[in-house]
Amino acid sequence: TRAELEQHLSALQEIADEHGGTRAAGTPGDRASVDYVARRLREARWRVQLQPLRFPYFALRRASLNIAGRRLRRARDFEVLSYSGSGRANGRLRRLLAGCAAEEYVGLGARDVPLVSRGQCFFRMKAINAQAAGARALVVIDESPTRRGVPSGTLAGPGVRIPVVFVSSEFVRDGAEVRVAVDAVSERRVTHNVIAETPGGEGRVVMAGAHLDSVRGGPGINDNGSGAATLIEAAEAIGPGPPGARVRLAFWGAEELGLLGSRRYVRSLDREARRRI
């Protein structure tokens, strides 16, 4: 019923409210959501398994960039690349080429902040080269910002320790004074898939799934708390001993980061286990 579904949605909203407004993967709200679902399924006398999932986590707390005395606006004038490291750098911009070859960084001064163009190799390669050369930050030029500002970019995963920012070309020039500061978390964290099934059942497996994590910007009550609530109610209605096939329900972790939880689960099954579903 609507009232039964709203009970779970309210519980997930309360979890978000108590944990910074989000249930995103790797956050305390995520862990509390896993605990809530697992408890409700155990109370319904289903067998519950928590399947751990390691994933790359990134959260930008704050960032600032000043070039030639001008304070730039994040998203409009510059952007921090996902999985950027944290830190501060005060110095002057030094124009290189694409930054894809380690040789480009030879002779980098203590106050030099390398300024490289976009393209020819991945952002991560540019950042690793700059970091290995002792640079305290890396600035990448965006030659074609849109009307909405500078697009986002990614370093593909944790491991870069220096700040890496993407800046509209209109604000950068060789030799300009620059101050950059980034406060971010870039690391690997663990979330969980919640896998629940009826204790009995023969032959094939009837399975349904819904993801449990939200985006960072909200509590995820529609996307996809509604799906999770429906599965919990289905489990309570079916009960632990339905006739016929075994029933299995999955609450996926880290879906918003690229279907990571469901992919992890499928990889964990052998051919026979996949065939039965």
Side-chain angles (χ1 to χ4, degrees):
T1 66
R2 174 174 175 172
E4 289 169 330
L5 293 174
E6 286 182 345
Q7 173 191 13
H8 304 301
L9 298 181
S10 295
L12 294 175
Q13 181 67 59
E14 289 175 9
I15 288 171
D17 291 342
E18 293 170 0
H19 297 94
T22 185
R23 300 184 305 105
T27 66
D30 175 40
R31 180 66 213 199
S33 299
V34 167
D35 292 342
Y36 173 78
V37 169
R39 176 173 58 82
R40 293 302 301 247
L41 270 294
R42 289 186 178 115
E43 289 173 352
R45 294 182 293 158
W46 284 48
R47 293 194 307 199
V48 178
Q49 173 193 1
L50 300 186
Q51 183 181 50
L53 166 69
R54 286 179 58 82
F55 70 99
Y57 177 86
F58 178 76
L60 178 63
R61 294 179 177 134
R62 61 187 68 87
S64 64
L65 179 65
N66 288 262
I67 296 179
R70 179 172 182 173
R71 184 179 180 89
L72 305 187
R73 298 165 295 174
R74 191 170 71 83
R76 185 68 185 177
D77 305 326
F78 81 99
E79 191 56 272
V80 178
L81 272 70
S82 296
Y83 305 108
S84 165
S86 294
R88 295 175 175 270
N90 298 325
R92 61 178 179 272
L93 294 174
R94 179 177 169 181
R95 185 69 166 96
L96 306 180
L97 298 176
C100 296
E103 293 77 17
E104 292 185 51
Y105 298 85
V106 172
L108 202 66
R111 296 192 71 249
D112 288 340
V113 175
L115 175 67
V116 301
S117 59
R118 183 180 184 177
Q120 298 188 31
C121 66
F122 292 119
F123 291 127
R124 186 177 185 86
M125 181 176 290
K126 303 173 192 285
I128 293 297
N129 285 337
Q131 180 175 286
R136 291 179 294 166
L138 175 67
V139 177
V140 182
I141 303 170
D142 177 29
E143 299 286 359
S144 54
T146 68
R147 287 183 298 175
R148 296 180 63 183
V150 175
S152 59
T154 181
L155 299 175
V160 174
R161 299 185 302 275
I162 63 174
V164 183
V165 295
F166 200 27
V167 186
S168 173
S169 58
E170 67 178 291
F171 301 110
V172 295
R173 70 174 189 274
D174 190 23
E177 289 292 316
V178 60
R179 298 201 314 272
V180 56
V182 173
D183 181 8
V185 179
S186 178
E187 61 190 18
R188 291 198 172 272
R189 290 192 176 182
V190 176
T191 186
H192 293 82
N193 292 325
V194 181
I195 312 295
E197 64 181 22
T198 53
E202 300 292 337
R204 299 180 69 81
V205 175
V206 178
M207 186 170 183
H211 76 86
L212 189 53
D213 61 314
S214 76
V215 294
R216 287 198 60 82
I221 301 308
N222 181 48
D223 181 11
N224 191 19
S226 56
T230 301
L231 291 192
I232 295 171
E233 280 303 313
E236 294 178 347
I238 291 169
R246 178 170 296 175
V247 182
R248 186 179 302 158
L249 303 178
F251 301 78
W252 309 121
E255 186 272 350
E256 296 289 0
L257 302 178
L259 311 180
L260 301 185
S262 54
R263 293 178 187 274
R264 163 74 172 86
Y265 176 74
V266 171
R267 286 196 303 268
S268 74
L269 303 177
D270 61 26
R271 182 176 180 180
E272 176 60 21
R274 291 196 299 270
R275 188 191 64 80
R276 291 182 61 206
I277 298 173

